[in-house]
Amino acid sequence: MIDAAERKEPMDEGVSLGGLETTVGFVLRLAQVAVFKDLLSALKPFDLRVTDLSVLLVIEATPGLQQRAIGDVLRIQRPNLVTIIDQLEARGLVRRGPVPADRRAYALSLTVEGEALLQQAKRAHAQHDRKVLDALGDLDKERMLAALERIAAL
Amino acid sequence: MIDAAERKEPMDEGVSLGGLETTVGFVLRLAQVAVFKDLLSALKPFDLRVTDLSVLLVIEATPGLQQRAIGDVLRIQRPNLVTIIDQLEARGLVRRGPVPADRRAYALSLTVEGEALLQQAKRAHAQHDRKVLDALGDLDKERMLAALERIAAL
DNA sequence: CGCATTTTGTTATGAGTACTAATTATTTCA
DNA sequence: TGAAATAATTAGTACTCATAACAAAATGCG
């Protein structure tokens, strides 16, 4: 396959984006897609998607959490979280334990296998995150995060 | 529906995200989702999706462009662009004209209706963009764009 | 020129993600 | 106790994104 950068005739570099290229929203999307693609490939060896990693991280941080709580903080709809947990449970990474006070809910926790895999995945994630931070250049992380959080609260 | 912020018992604010909240990638995603949601609702009156607007903007900037070129700059796969143009053409907003030198391709241009609708949509878009820029706070747009572009080039 | 290769747009199709409505079991509360 | 709310689930849907294969036309090289 021939990359656009080395094609002969059309020379797409000259095509105007109609002002889109100086728009925060548009570039924000390009950046987000790139970050997710990079992280996804970094997690490939562990057969984890980005969402899987985030779920595992939250469970690790607070074992005993219920599905609803995880969905809330990660902005995952409850029905969607069900299948995610289903898969992680089927792989023996996560356990659906009983909640003493509530027989409807499950107390989620990592199995030893889940904990072990997560440790590996965390190293890959840290490596990925380093790349992202390097790309920030002179812009310090704190100001970037603050700005992004304000945008997220639109 | 009850918002999480005003629910009584669980108090999700205390749930740890396991370090995710200080990750550029995660917050980047939240920001991007928020921006798209805001822009989508701003474009609702014109029955345009975000992608539709970007396509119209590119065509306006360079009339006579072929589908392939638009897909390249906007990162839209050719098959997907076909249906997008189909819809815009069916609504009378875009015209598929002949390319003198190439009978396979179409020279895309805006109709008068398309031009008129785009002008309105651009005002809505400008209003939305103003909100995003305000959210940047002390961070100047140029540095933000530069950082995002470097991330997008990961 | 003539024939293989490439390119444009198209169709069909599948994977992945995300959303809504409705159901069951359980808990909460008036 | 009975009504309403909640946790998880199921089923169905919609939207985005990607790939493969195709016809028509253009390109290019012998």
Side-chain angles (χ1 to χ4, degrees):
Chain A
M1 191 197 185
I2 302 178
D3 186 48
E6 54 188 9
R7 282 232 313 292
K8 303 157 231 172
E9 297 288 359
M11 203 51 185
D12 296 325
E13 299 301 329
V15 175
S16 165
L17 277 161
L20 237 40
E21 63 282 344
T22 62
T23 270
V24 172
F26 181 75
V27 187
L28 192 61
R29 183 181 133 84
L30 294 183
Q32 195 264 317
V33 169
V35 166
F36 260 54
K37 188 185 294 184
D38 185 77
L39 180 53
L40 180 63
S41 81
L43 294 177
K44 207 88 173 189
F46 314 106
D47 193 25
L48 291 175
R49 288 161 302 176
V50 177
T51 304
D52 296 328
L53 174 65
S54 65
V55 168
L56 292 178
L57 285 171
V58 171
I59 295 178
E60 184 198 34
T62 318
L65 225 49
Q66 303 180 10
Q67 293 180 193
R68 163 76 188 233
I70 296 177
D72 282 350
V73 293
L74 290 179
R75 316 229 185 159
I76 301 173
Q77 240 73 26
R78 266 76 84 228
N80 299 329
L81 195 56
V82 169
T83 70
I84 294 172
I85 301 293
D86 277 350
Q87 294 163 356
L88 294 176
E89 190 187 32
R91 290 176 60 187
L93 304 175
V94 161
R95 181 176 27 240
R96 277 197 247 231
V99 172
D102 193 336
R103 285 187 295 168
R104 296 169 303 181
Y106 295 121
L108 299 175
S109 59
L110 299 182
T111 64
V112 267
E113 295 89 354
E115 184 61 44
L117 188 71
L118 179 55
Q119 293 317 312
Q120 292 182 271
K122 273 166 91 168
R123 278 191 286 275
H125 177 252
Q127 222 169 334
H128 152 83
D129 198 50
R130 167 58 46 202
K131 287 208 288 183
V132 175
L133 291 181
D134 287 348
L136 284 184
D138 60 323
L139 185 53
D140 56 303
K141 178 181 170 183
E142 301 313 322
R143 291 182 65 196
M144 176 58 121
L145 285 181
L148 289 177
E149 278 164 11
R150 281 191 299 268
I151 293 176
L154 266 191
Chain B
M1 189 198 184
I2 302 179
D3 187 47
E6 55 187 8
R7 280 229 317 290
K8 303 158 235 174
E9 297 288 0
M11 201 52 185
D12 295 324
E13 299 300 331
V15 175
S16 165
L17 276 161
L20 236 40
E21 62 282 344
T22 62
T23 272
V24 173
F26 181 75
V27 188
L28 193 61
R29 182 182 134 83
L30 295 184
Q32 195 264 318
V33 169
V35 166
F36 261 54
K37 188 185 293 183
D38 186 77
L39 180 53
L40 180 63
S41 80
L43 292 177
K44 207 88 173 189
F46 315 108
D47 194 24
L48 291 175
R49 288 161 303 176
V50 177
T51 305
D52 295 328
L53 174 65
S54 64
V55 168
L56 292 178
L57 285 172
V58 170
I59 296 178
E60 184 197 36
T62 318
L65 226 48
Q66 304 181 9
Q67 292 181 193
R68 163 76 187 233
I70 295 177
D72 282 349
V73 294
L74 290 179
R75 317 229 186 158
I76 301 173
Q77 241 72 30
R78 264 73 80 224
N80 299 328
L81 193 57
V82 169
T83 71
I84 294 173
I85 301 293
D86 278 351
Q87 294 164 356
L88 293 176
E89 189 187 33
R91 290 177 59 186
L93 304 175
V94 160
R95 181 175 27 240
R96 277 196 246 231
V99 172
D102 193 335
R103 284 187 296 166
R104 294 170 304 181
Y106 295 120
L108 299 175
S109 59
L110 299 182
T111 63
V112 267
E113 294 88 356
E115 184 61 46
L117 187 71
L118 179 56
Q119 293 318 311
Q120 291 182 272
K122 275 166 90 168
R123 278 191 286 275
H125 177 252
Q127 222 169 334
H128 152 84
D129 199 51
R130 166 58 47 200
K131 286 208 288 184
V132 176
L133 291 182
D134 286 348
L136 283 184
D138 61 322
L139 184 54
D140 55 305
K141 178 182 171 182
E142 301 313 321
R143 290 182 65 196
M144 175 59 120
L145 284 181
L148 290 177
E149 278 164 11
R150 282 191 299 266
I151 293 176
L154 267 190

